[in-house]
Amino acid sequence: MTDAIQDEIIREFDGLEWLDRYDLLITSAKELEPMDEDSRTDENTISGCQSRVWIQSYKRDGKLNFNLDSDAMITKGIMALLLRVVNNRHPQEIANIDLYFIERIGLKSNLSPARSNGLESIIRRIKEIAKNEFDQSNVQ
């Protein structure tokens, strides 16, 4: 199954050399709204990342949205791409989403092992939050 947003990201990265891809990630990072300092708490921290990463989630009209922030620009740029894909979707959709754009734009194969593990931690946390939201909405 394809996803229009992921396909758009793939097109944006298509044909770019890795230095240009890093520039695009940094540009994406600069477009990401910074998280309030008060929200950068241990409770909102994602463990398993090389850099500091914070996450918050909220629901609006039955759809889940996330705020992510990091102290590293490349990580923040990757998170900006993730947010484009997962924000404003139903929790079940996020919990089950195949984030195929990550492989298709070469992120997995071009990140350091530590940064790749951090990306997996971020994705795992996003899906965990989505699954918990979905489970809670089915209980009510």
Side-chain angles (χ1 to χ4, degrees):
M1 182 179 207
T2 63
D3 177 89
I5 297 169
Q6 292 188 69
D7 292 343
E8 180 180 306
I9 292 169
I10 291 166
R11 282 190 299 277
E12 290 170 8
F13 279 79
D14 189 42
L16 296 178
E17 296 295 323
W18 258 103
L19 285 177
D20 295 326
R21 289 176 187 219
Y22 280 122
D23 285 342
L24 188 52
L25 286 173
I26 290 169
T27 299
S28 296
K30 291 176 182 175
E31 295 170 0
L32 193 62
E33 274 300 310
M35 190 176 281
D36 293 335
E37 200 62 38
D38 294 343
S39 298
R40 292 179 171 206
T41 64
D42 288 340
E43 181 180 295
N44 291 338
T45 299
I46 298 178
S47 60
C49 297
Q50 183 178 14
S51 53
R52 301 267 310 181
V53 176
W54 299 273
I55 187 169
Q56 288 183 300
S57 63
Y58 60 95
K59 278 177 79 172
R60 184 183 313 147
D61 300 325
K63 295 184 178 179
L64 194 54
N65 288 274
F66 296 90
N67 292 327
L68 289 165
D69 203 356
S70 176
D71 59 2
M73 290 301 280
I74 296 296
T75 302
K76 198 169 179 173
I78 293 167
M79 293 184 324
L81 298 180
L82 282 171
L83 290 178
R84 283 175 55 189
V85 175
V86 301
N87 271 351
N88 207 32
R89 294 186 188 241
H90 293 283
Q92 182 180 17
E93 187 179 5
I94 297 168
N96 297 319
I97 196 165
D98 173 18
L99 296 169
Y100 61 87
F101 82 93
I102 293 169
E103 185 71 39
R104 298 269 302 273
I105 67 173
L107 273 180
K108 281 204 182 227
S109 59
N110 286 285
L111 292 178
S112 68
R115 196 161 266 146
S116 187
N117 289 338
L119 174 58
E120 290 299 322
S121 295
I122 294 166
I123 293 168
R124 190 170 33 257
R125 184 71 181 119
I126 287 171
K127 288 187 171 199
E128 178 183 291
I129 291 169
K131 183 182 179 327
N132 288 342
E133 283 292 331
F134 177 71
D135 290 346
Q136 286 177 7
S137 66
N138 283 335
V139 170
Q140 297 171 357

